[in-house]
Amino acid sequence: MRIKIKNLLHSQSVTTYLNKKVYVCGWVKTVRDQNTFAFVEVGDGSTLKNLQVILKGATLEYLPKLTTGSSVGIQGVLIESPGKNQNIELQAEEIEIFGGCDPEKYLLQKKRHSFEFLRTIAHLRPRTNTQGAVARIRNAMAFATHVFFQNNGFLYVHTPIITSSDCEGGGSMFRVTTLNPLASQNDYENDFFKKPTYLTVSGQLEGEIYALALSDIYTFGPTFRAENSNTSRHLAEFWMVEPEMSFCDLAGNVDLAENYLKFVTDYALKNCCEDLEFFDKFIEKGLLNRLRQVAETSFNKITYTDAIHIIKKSGKSFEFPISWGVDLQSEHERFLAEEYFKNPVILTDYPAGIKAFYMRLNDDQKTVAAMDVLVPKIGEIIGGSQREERLSFLEKKIEENHLRKEDYWWYLQLREFGSAPHAGFGLGFERLLLFITGMENIRDIIPFPRFPAHAEF
Ligand code: 4AD
Ligand code: MG
């Protein structure tokens, strides 16, 4: 039976398999021919490390075919390694080559490739060390997200991907239509849904429906934004984690965001050691210390108004001038988290004018019960709020934002029938992964990035 390399190299398993016959499969990473014998490094993606395979005698015949990139199955005996780079190695007895790989044509050469180049070969890049580690951490963080919410009594709800309402009111939505491109695009009578429909920008509004019936819920799915932001922090298709809690105010929401971020950070530190050490060594020096600090120290919490004071008093010059009432730019957010607090910081109570229509108006009538979590390196990683649960306030907001009440009839009815205080947030899953891995560009943290002019693969 085939054994994954991770299981072989795992310290507890080594003794189980030592001096026994095992069968492994994987892709050849490197070959070193030493004349009377040869070293072949084989990896199967289950772990960062490769297994060293020794060819001697008859198995040396296979050497010309064991090129970098070819896929193989190898049976042999696992022995203690005399070399100092590994504890064990596999003495090959039988070799099967599943798929050869012409080294002249193979696009993944042994040298280091730029991340930009690797994006153009996204069908091969998961075989690189960095992308393998990214994929494993992405998997671990998705799992940890479910563990956290399930352990805290949240119900996982699947909200729709096709929707007719614009949650964030920004208008940056991808249209979904079956109309002939040459026909009038407003001919909704002949369109599939007989009304304008879009890819969702957020599962929040539908999430609120379930929170106002089942208390605590979360969604975790793909979201889409047709904004033309060509930055290292924006994608057109990204994943969002969105918890929503009934009978909860902004303070409870702030606590949940902090606890969740700490939990997943701690989970990564405990369960992804090998991959995090790799990122600490090659991508961001000091990553492990930064993550440990996040897991251990409590986050700073200040209001938007205080943040404006801090930024103004800093005397630093920014590209975008800042004053009360203006939205923070990424440079301001990063200054606060990276330089001023040197740890995550949660900003609350933003001016009503710069936030979405659904946020609860504070008693000062000027600010809303909003919160953004800002972290070093990224800036905003989470955006959330207490929701406006008072019907008349919400109706007024919808009017002021020039939205159509008819479009939100069901959202308004939730405020008419058994309304309750409730709050929630959205975490950009790829931004979380940038934060955990220290990677610089969001396009390298999702398997197949979608951004302006790019939808390859
Ligand atoms: O702040 P946003 O726009 O909030 C919402 O969508 C709310 N409806 C969430 C809620 O309260 N349930 O987006 C939430 C997070 C941001 O903080 C950011 O991390 C991420 O989603 N995000 C993006 N990530 C990648 N690419 C983009 N274009 C993103 N836009 C937002
Ligand atoms: Mg936001």
Side-chain angles (χ1 to χ4, degrees):
M1 199 183 69
R2 177 192 168 202
I3 301 174
K4 295 241 173 87
I5 290 175
K6 177 183 175 177
N7 297 339
L8 279 186
L9 297 179
H10 202 271
S11 57
Q12 282 108 348
S13 341
V14 169
T15 43
T16 320
Y17 296 110
L18 205 60
N19 301 318
K20 300 219 172 88
K21 239 187 221 278
V22 296
Y23 176 59
V24 296
C25 296
W27 291 267
V28 172
K29 301 294 172 176
T30 57
V31 179
R32 276 177 297 146
D33 185 355
Q34 314 280 71
N35 287 324
T36 53
F37 63 101
F39 295 114
V40 182
E41 298 271 331
V42 176
D44 65 3
S46 62
T47 174
L48 187 72
K49 288 203 190 87
N50 299 319
L51 180 66
Q52 175 157 293
V53 181
I54 314 290
L55 308 194
K56 272 188 199 150
T59 53
L60 278 173
E61 272 176 41
Y62 288 92
L63 210 50
K65 286 189 176 163
L66 290 175
T67 48
T68 298
S70 53
S71 80
V72 293
I74 301 175
Q75 183 150 304
V77 177
L78 199 69
I79 57 163
E80 249 169 290
S81 171
K84 49 180 180 327
N85 293 330
Q86 63 282 318
N87 301 329
I88 53 165
E89 56 192 32
L90 185 69
Q91 225 158 23
E93 290 176 351
E94 280 171 52
I95 296 177
E96 182 181 358
I97 294 167
F98 297 117
C101 184
D102 183 344
E104 299 293 314
K105 290 191 192 153
Y106 192 41
L107 294 166
L108 267 187
Q109 296 295 321
K110 240 165 73 180
K111 64 171 184 153
R112 254 200 191 198
H113 293 291
S114 73
F115 291 147
E116 287 79 9
F117 170 72
L118 288 174
R119 264 174 239 146
T120 68
I121 53 164
H123 59 306
L124 297 173
R125 74 173 183 167
R127 297 184 190 182
T128 63
N129 284 341
T130 306
Q131 283 302 317
V134 164
R136 285 185 296 271
I137 291 192
R138 192 178 170 103
N139 167 70
M141 292 297 88
F143 183 71
T145 293
H146 286 295
V147 170
F148 175 82
F149 287 112
Q150 295 291 329
N151 284 351
N152 285 289
F154 285 67
L155 208 84
Y156 180 32
V157 174
H158 295 130
T159 47
I161 286 173
I162 298 174
T163 180
S164 58
S165 46
D166 180 358
C167 173
E168 291 307 299
S172 53
M173 299 172 78
F174 287 101
R175 173 99 178 263
V176 175
T177 176
T178 53
L179 287 175
N180 180 330
L182 299 176
S184 157
Q185 292 304 300
N186 297 328
D187 180 14
Y188 297 116
E189 253 325 290
N190 286 313
D191 205 352
F192 191 92
F193 294 108
K194 301 212 182 296
K195 66 187 302 196
T197 45
Y198 308 91
L199 294 179
T200 188
V201 295
S202 159
Q204 178 197 322
L205 302 189
E206 292 90 349
E208 282 184 55
I209 296 178
Y210 272 75
L212 287 168
L214 298 153
S215 297
D216 298 341
I217 64 98
Y218 68 107
T219 74
F220 182 13
T223 49
F224 307 85
R225 297 202 182 172
E227 47 194 25
N228 202 5
S229 330
N230 249 312
T231 80
S232 58
R233 306 279 177 265
H234 290 86
L235 288 166
E237 176 181 292
F238 61 100
W239 285 63
M240 226 202 289
V241 177
E242 296 185 271
E244 190 74 32
M245 296 171 288
S246 282
F247 315 110
C248 179
D249 60 9
L250 187 66
N253 204 25
V254 165
D255 284 348
L256 183 77
E258 176 170 1
N259 291 339
Y260 167 65
L261 267 185
K262 285 193 151 135
F263 179 87
V264 291
T265 305
D266 188 58
Y267 186 94
L269 284 166
K270 289 192 174 123
N271 296 280
C272 310
C273 305
E274 188 184 47
D275 289 323
L276 286 186
E277 276 162 20
F278 169 82
F279 286 116
D280 187 284
K281 194 164 167 197
F282 295 108
I283 304 292
E284 182 195 332
K285 300 254 180 305
L287 171 74
L288 286 167
N289 280 338
R290 173 167 70 73
L291 295 182
R292 279 186 206 116
Q293 192 189 326
V294 170
E296 284 158 17
T297 51
S298 68
F299 295 2
N300 303 283
K301 287 144 202 143
I302 57 167
T303 62
Y304 163 90
T305 306
D306 289 341
I308 297 294
H309 285 310
I310 291 173
I311 296 168
K312 280 187 152 175
K313 273 211 319 229
S314 74
K316 262 184 84 101
S317 64
F318 292 99
E319 193 187 335
F320 296 92
I322 192 84
S323 60
W324 200 96
V326 173
D327 208 359
L328 298 184
Q329 297 292 327
S330 151
E331 55 174 348
H332 307 122
E333 296 176 339
R334 290 186 63 171
F335 162 73
L336 288 169
E338 227 160 281
E339 292 178 43
Y340 193 83
F341 289 108
K342 299 189 170 59
N343 211 32
V345 51
I346 306 185
L347 265 52
T348 58
D349 305 295
Y350 282 71
I354 55 171
K355 287 291 182 186
F357 74 96
Y358 53 71
M359 298 193 182
R360 192 179 196 276
L361 191 64
N362 286 329
D363 291 344
D364 65 11
Q365 310 288 317
K366 284 193 313 203
T367 59
V368 286
M371 63 164 209
D372 274 8
V373 182
L374 316 178
V375 298
K377 285 190 66 93
I378 320 287
E380 178 189 341
I381 194 168
I382 287 179
S385 64
Q386 183 172 343
R387 320 304 188 190
E388 186 55 82
E389 86 284 15
R390 299 161 296 186
L391 182 62
S392 59
F393 282 76
L394 187 61
E395 282 176 331
K396 197 160 162 253
K397 259 305 186 51
I398 285 182
E399 260 166 46
E400 283 170 8
N401 280 274
H402 308 294
L403 300 169
R404 287 162 16 127
K405 256 164 85 173
E406 311 86 88
D407 291 343
Y408 294 91
W409 65 273
W410 49 270
Y411 194 68
L412 288 163
Q413 272 201 6
L414 293 174
R415 276 69 185 167
E416 199 178 340
F417 307 121
S419 188
H422 61 292
F425 64 76
L427 162 115
F429 192 60
E430 285 71 25
R431 294 202 185 167
L432 171 70
L433 292 169
L434 288 177
F435 178 65
I436 296 286
T437 59
M439 292 284 286
E440 286 289 336
N441 197 317
I442 200 160
R443 296 169 187 180
D444 299 321
I445 215 82
I446 190 165
F448 305 102
R450 271 81 180 96
F451 51 96
H454 285 269
E456 194 66 272
F457 303 98

